[in-house]
Amino acid sequence: MGSIATIHNGVNVDALNTTVSMVKANPALAKFTFRSRAKWINGAHSQSTFDSLYGAGMEHKRGTPMFLEADEPEALLGTDLAPNAGEAALHALSACLSVTYAYNATAMGLDISSLSFDMETDSDLQGFLELDKNIRPGLSQIRVKVNLACSGTAAQIEDLHARVIRTSPLYDTFKNPVDIKMSH
């Protein structure tokens, strides 16, 4: 008879603890490489494919490739078939924050009853269109409102928020410059 996994906040606690122990014993297992292949379809519409990654010391091939679409709203000359890159950036950040809250709360023994994010970001087309060289083409600020209901004292919940800010990979990515090497 097999043991039944302990699930907390939708996270397998035994698997989480095993992963932490394995990485402590062999830090090379912590190295991951995520990949995508992207193609332009037409106008502002594009599609990215995700079918493999490297992590935990080995290659992983997905049984079924995953796809994400991108487009622009009509106000930005697109066909509005999918979120644009700024919206996708918000989705990526909220997805990472969700995982980071769930895993950290589980490790702390806190029960999450609800978690959501209200997010906004700003961009000024003058930078993209090179109409004003003093305006960046990128996002200028991301505002995140965390809506969290969970067990724990006020101090534990503040500790959870602090842990998330310290350990969220995409929070870190957006806060700090990332080296991009582009070839053609």
Side-chain angles (χ1 to χ4, degrees), residues 147-160:
N147 306 297
L148 172 67
C150 74
S151 65
T153 65
Q156 288 173 311
I157 293 169
E158 281 306 311
D159 185 32
L160 174 60

Side-chain angles (χ1 to χ4, degrees), residues 65-81:
M66 308 254 177
F67 301 94
L68 288 176
E69 303 276 328
D71 199 353
E72 291 291 340
E74 290 178 12
L76 288 172
L77 311 178
T79 53
D80 213 9
L81 295 173

Side-chain angles (χ1 to χ4, degrees), residues 17-40:
N17 291 333
T18 298
T19 299
V20 170
S21 295
M22 290 173 64
V23 169
K24 281 182 181 177
N26 184 0
L29 294 176
K31 306 291 185 189
F32 277 75
T33 301
F34 300 103
R35 302 181 185 109
S36 75
R37 284 187 325 280
K39 67 178 182 178
W40 169 78

Side-chain angles (χ1 to χ4, degrees), residues 65-112:
M66 308 254 177
F67 301 94
L68 288 176
E69 303 276 328
D71 199 353
E72 291 291 340
E74 290 178 12
L76 288 172
L77 311 178
T79 53
D80 213 9
L81 295 173
N84 74 5
E87 293 164 324
L90 294 179
H91 169 71
L93 179 58
S94 67
C96 188
L97 289 171
S98 291
V99 168
T100 309
Y101 269 98
Y103 288 11
N104 275 288
T106 297
M108 295 171 68
L110 301 177
D111 295 311
I112 295 176

Side-chain angles (χ1 to χ4, degrees), residues 104-127:
N104 275 288
T106 297
M108 295 171 68
L110 301 177
D111 295 311
I112 295 176
S113 55
S114 70
L115 174 63
S116 65
F117 306 93
D118 296 314
M119 306 178 86
E120 292 182 331
T121 188
D122 301 315
S123 181
D124 188 329
L125 282 181
Q126 294 178 89

